[in-house]
Amino acid sequence: MRRLHRTRRDWFADLALFLFAACFAAVSSQAIPVEESLGPGWRAADQVVGGLGCAAVLLRRRWPVQLAVVLLLAGSVAHYLTGPAMVAVFTVAATRPWKATAWVAALAFGPLPFFLWQLPDMSEERAGSAVTYFALIAGAIGWGLFRRSRQQLIASLRERAELAEADAESRAERARMEAREEIAREMHDVLGHRLSLLSVHAGALEFNPGAPRAEIERAAGVMRESAHLALHDLREVIGVLRAGPGIGTGSGSAERGERPQPELADLPRLVAEARAAGGSVELAGPPDGVAPPALVGRTAYRIVQEALTNVRKHAPGAAAHVRVTGGPGDGLTVEVRNTRPPGPDPARGAAPGAAEGGGQGLIGLAERTRLAGGSLTAQPADGGFRVRAWLPWQS
């Protein structure tokens, strides 16, 4: 049997109810109608039973229903058990399910019809005592039900508070995860672009060590510039991580003194870098006129940047075509398509200078596009590959 553990507060409550039952029996002893035919011995035995009933109140936590049943049945012949019976039915109503409370209440009020039937033949004193008994039992049950409802309300409010706190922690953790994912996407896009330029030029020098000095100097210059920019971008990302939450890579970065984020107007510069690395890239667009929102322009730039990086990684030597169309109200459409790469079959190995990728770039682009409210598709097309994205542009 599981041992009942009582706190100091539980002991205080049990002793208070024991004193209540004993005081009630003592105070009401003069008002209890006792038949004259019963002798002093019966009265003494009645008082002893009442004292035992008061002491039995201390068992109310372990056997509340059993105690209530015994006290209610014994109370039909013993006159000093009203106080303990009130405590017992109160405990059942406050701590036990509705079904158990209903059965105890039915037992307590079972004699009521017989009392009402015999009421005309009863003396006024005895009738008043019986009415008082049923009223006290009803009050004890009602007070127990009120206490249970209050405890359930408090438990419900506490549970809601805990759920609200857990939800707040979950939202904070989700915000931190989104910030980390955004930083990871920025690191992948920026460093992947720079390092792919390094890989292409290093692979070209390795493949053609006898190239003219001017070409070697140009490739070395591009490698040095790309390494310098990659280190600069890496320092910026690490600085954001060290700054803690609240510093991100979103649209407010420029307002906090960081380097301005790229926008749609920077596409010609990006294409020029790709051409300087030896790539064949054609650019159609972006549309003239009003610039798109910062988030849309930055997302379009990152899509083109990652797509050109993938061309250098997985299809070195292939020609790339970038087309950016659209306008306010119609949205912005970005398409990057590359032709079939020259050289050996990709199944037999990549060309020199091709970099290996983990396949995470397109996943990051799809997530970035989704966060901007657009959609992205990436699939093989005409022997090459095509990345097409649509981004909303409110009029």
Side-chain angles (χ1 to χ4, degrees):
M1 180 181 296
R2 184 175 60 89
R3 185 175 180 181
L4 182 64
H5 176 71
R6 299 187 193 184
T7 63
R8 182 177 299 178
R9 182 178 180 181
D10 294 338
W11 277 110
F12 178 80
D14 291 344
L15 291 176
L17 290 175
F18 165 75
L19 293 176
F20 164 79
C23 293
F24 184 89
V27 170
S28 61
S29 61
Q30 299 301 323
I32 297 176
V34 181
E35 297 181 6
E36 298 294 337
S37 59
L38 299 178
W42 178 264
R43 180 180 290 272
D46 198 359
Q47 293 174 352
V48 171
V49 172
L52 294 176
C54 293
V57 167
L58 299 176
L59 303 176
R60 70 186 189 95
R61 296 183 184 274
R62 186 180 296 273
W63 300 295
V65 177
Q66 296 89 329
L67 179 63
V69 171
V70 170
L71 291 177
L72 288 173
L73 293 177
S76 60
V77 293
H79 300 85
Y80 291 93
L81 293 179
T82 302
M86 290 170 57
V87 174
V89 297
F90 162 79
T91 303
V92 172
T95 62
R96 287 299 177 261
W98 290 98
K99 187 175 181 180
T101 303
W103 279 109
V104 171
L107 178 64
F109 292 100
L112 183 59
F114 300 97
F115 162 73
L116 295 176
W117 180 59
Q118 297 177 354
L119 184 60
D121 301 330
M122 284 186 181
S123 64
E124 183 178 351
E125 182 182 10
R126 194 171 186 83
S129 177
V131 170
T132 303
Y133 168 80
F134 287 118
L136 291 174
I137 294 296
I141 294 176
W143 182 253
L145 293 176
F146 169 76
R147 180 175 175 81
R148 179 170 62 178
S149 299
R150 184 173 178 273
Q151 289 176 337
Q152 290 175 346
L153 177 61
I154 293 174
S156 176
L157 294 176
R158 184 180 294 112
E159 182 179 1
R160 290 183 182 180
E162 293 174 354
L163 289 176
E165 183 179 356
D167 184 60
E169 293 179 357
S170 176
R171 287 198 302 268
E173 180 64 24
R174 191 160 54 248
R176 288 192 291 269
M177 288 295 298
E178 291 176 356
R180 287 194 289 266
E181 290 175 0
E182 177 66 18
I183 292 172
R185 282 194 293 268
E186 289 292 325
M187 182 180 293
H188 179 276
D189 294 343
V190 176
L191 296 184
H193 172 69
R194 304 297 182 193
L195 296 179
S196 67
L197 293 178
L198 282 172
S199 177
V200 167
H201 285 85
L205 291 178
E206 180 184 11
F207 182 69
N208 187 18
R213 180 178 180 84
E215 183 176 343
I216 294 177
E217 290 179 352
R218 183 180 65 83
V222 173
M223 292 171 62
R224 179 179 58 82
E225 180 67 16
S226 297
H228 174 74
L229 293 175
L231 289 174
H232 180 72
D233 293 330
L234 183 59
R235 281 195 296 267
E236 283 192 346
V237 172
I238 293 176
V240 170
L241 292 174
R242 287 175 176 173
I247 301 297
T249 56
S251 60
S253 298
E255 299 176 1
R256 291 187 288 267
E258 300 174 15
R259 190 181 67 179
Q261 292 292 310
E263 55 187 17
L264 193 62
D266 295 323
L267 278 182
R269 176 180 57 82
L270 179 65
V271 171
E273 289 182 0
R275 289 171 179 168
S280 175
V281 183
E282 295 181 2
L283 174 62
D288 297 328
V290 182
L295 178 61
V296 174
R298 184 169 63 254
T299 303
Y301 179 93
R302 294 304 188 195
I303 291 173
V304 175
Q305 183 184 53
E306 177 63 22
L308 294 180
T309 300
N310 285 339
V311 171
R312 286 193 295 270
K313 285 182 179 180
H314 308 295
H321 304 272
V322 180
R323 186 166 66 94
V324 182
T325 59
D330 297 330
L332 191 69
T333 300
V334 180
E335 181 177 284
V336 181
R337 179 173 51 85
N338 65 273
T339 61
R340 180 189 298 273
D345 189 342
R348 295 193 300 269
E356 295 298 328
Q360 301 300 313
L362 292 178
I363 297 177
L365 283 187
E367 178 65 14
R368 184 189 292 273
T369 305
R370 185 188 66 81
L371 293 175
S375 59
L376 181 139
T377 58
Q379 58 189 5
D382 300 329
F385 203 81
R386 182 182 70 178
V387 176
R388 188 177 189 277
W390 178 86
L391 299 169
W393 185 351
Q394 302 297 331
S395 56

